[in-house]
Amino acid sequence: MEGIEHRIVKVNGINMHVAEKGKGPIILFLHGFPELWFSWRHQILALSSLGYRCVAPDLRGFGDTEAPPSQTSYTCLHVIGDLVMLIDGIAGKDEKVFVVGHDWGAYMAWYLCLFRPDKIAALFNTSVVFKPFAGNIRPLDGCRAFFEHIGVERFIKGFLTYRIPGPIYLPKGKGFGHLPDTPIALPPWLSEEDVKYYTTKFEKTGFTGGVNYYRNLDLYAAADTIMNWELVQWSGGKVNVPVKFVVGQEDLCYHLPGVKEYIHNGGFKKDVPLLDEVVVMEGAAHFIQQEKPREINQTHL
């Protein structure tokens, strides 16, 4: 990770860790769960060498960014507030940034473009489609007690290497399909050193911040408080920035109920009128930017 600079910036009342490299037009990278800025290491190195300024924060609650204690501090409005202030701090006056998102980062990237299209030049999103207020999807149900049961390192290995299309199931005594004492073989794109980086950070912070994003899904669907009412007022809104979307053919998010129909039968294009291209990448699963960095960097970004 030679040449990547790290700093702490104050945004929206919290201290945010940011990794960056390069000079030129800004690309803002937004990670998912259980990930960190580190998930974009291949893209940062490749695109900074092509004349871009690559900026990758740890989102609130992750890594070296502050984690507010309240569960309700992790709504999309809080996270977008962080990102808008970050953009204001790194971009010049009237300068727009390119945004690249994955998993929860993709989810937040959609909302960033929905709420503040004036800040965005274009969006390259992966894995998670813009399907507003899908609050009934809870991919981590049952995971919370599982973290402590198997340990951080094994959880990271199991989660990052999971390739079964569809929701994650954690059968008792056989998490991620592996018996407790069975070693988890790493694929070529994920090294023990990579796992160690994630493990070290999550052993320090725990998973509470990341899980709080999932806990707040209900706020995007219900309307029984002032906060929820404000969120629901955006229901039916359209993302009006240029967009390219890539998903792995084996990605569990691509196989969630209704997603394929939404993508391929016109619903996606209706909600995202400037959707330029959808790529379903063969041989790729959920962590596509890490699994297929060369293809993402050279072909699709």
Side-chain angles (χ1 to χ4, degrees):
M1 299 298 102
E2 184 177 351
I4 297 178
E5 298 179 352
H6 298 265
R7 61 191 177 108
I8 300 294
V9 297
K10 192 78 172 181
V11 297
N12 200 21
I14 66 169
N15 293 313
M16 172 174 276
H17 167 249
V18 175
E20 60 181 299
K21 180 178 174 65
K23 295 181 179 181
I26 296 171
I27 304 177
L28 178 64
F29 294 92
L30 306 178
H31 68 80
F33 177 92
E35 298 179 278
L36 305 162
W37 75 269
F38 185 74
S39 304
W40 299 108
R41 58 198 179 280
H42 305 297
Q43 287 71 40
I44 291 172
L45 296 177
L47 295 175
S48 63
S49 71
L50 297 178
Y52 290 94
R53 181 183 175 189
C54 298
V55 178
D58 286 334
L59 296 180
R60 71 164 49 206
F62 287 89
D64 293 319
T65 291
E66 194 171 339
S70 173
Q71 172 184 325
T72 57
S73 296
Y74 294 83
T75 71
C76 63
L77 294 182
H78 290 86
V79 179
I80 300 313
D82 300 344
L83 298 176
V84 169
M85 291 192 69
L86 176 61
I87 292 171
D88 286 345
I90 61 176
K93 184 179 180 181
D94 300 325
E95 180 184 2
K96 295 185 177 184
V97 304
F98 297 94
V99 178
V100 181
H102 173 255
D103 189 79
W104 267 108
Y107 202 89
M108 293 302 152
W110 290 122
Y111 282 113
L112 177 60
C113 294
L114 180 66
F115 298 163
R116 296 301 304 269
D118 58 303
K119 300 285 186 183
I120 312 302
L123 171 65
F124 179 92
N125 238 1
T126 66
S127 186
V128 177
V129 296
F130 177 71
K131 193 172 183 182
F133 313 112
N136 61 328
I137 298 172
R138 294 181 174 83
L140 281 191
D141 271 357
C143 277
R144 295 162 196 166
F146 187 67
F147 298 147
E148 296 182 0
H149 178 67
I150 69 169
V152 173
E153 180 178 331
R154 190 168 181 85
F155 176 81
I156 292 292
K157 285 184 176 181
F159 205 107
L160 293 182
T161 60
Y162 190 85
R163 298 185 69 86
I164 299 174
I168 292 178
Y169 293 105
L170 303 173
K172 187 175 181 180
K174 200 175 182 182
F176 297 111
H178 304 282
L179 294 172
D181 297 328
T182 304
I184 299 177
L186 298 183
W189 58 267
L190 185 67
S191 70
E192 290 287 352
E193 186 178 356
D194 296 336
V195 171
K196 183 178 180 180
Y197 185 89
Y198 287 115
T199 300
T200 299
K201 293 299 181 182
F202 280 106
E203 282 181 340
K204 178 181 176 182
T205 64
F207 291 100
T208 301
V211 171
N212 280 339
Y213 285 70
Y214 293 93
R215 289 171 173 157
N216 277 284
L217 277 172
D218 284 345
L219 291 180
Y220 310 149
D224 55 0
T225 68
I226 293 176
M227 174 64 77
N228 297 344
W229 180 86
E230 291 175 350
L231 289 169
V232 171
Q233 295 311 296
W234 290 93
S235 181
K238 299 183 186 300
V239 172
N240 286 304
V241 303
V243 173
K244 187 170 186 177
F245 180 76
V246 177
V247 64
Q249 191 176 46
E250 300 173 27
D251 191 331
L252 73 168
C253 291
Y254 184 55
H255 294 270
L256 290 173
V259 169
K260 290 181 183 178
E261 293 78 9
Y262 176 74
I263 291 175
H264 301 296
N265 293 346
F268 197 12
K269 180 69 173 179
K270 181 180 178 181
D271 288 334
V272 186
L274 300 182
L275 180 64
D276 179 62
E277 185 179 6
V278 172
V279 176
V280 180
M281 190 180 295
E282 294 185 7
H286 185 62
F287 298 95
I288 193 168
Q289 82 277 31
Q290 298 184 75
E291 294 179 38
K292 300 286 185 179
R294 182 175 62 83
E295 291 84 348
I296 291 291
N297 297 346
Q298 296 180 3
T299 306
H300 299 300
L301 269 179

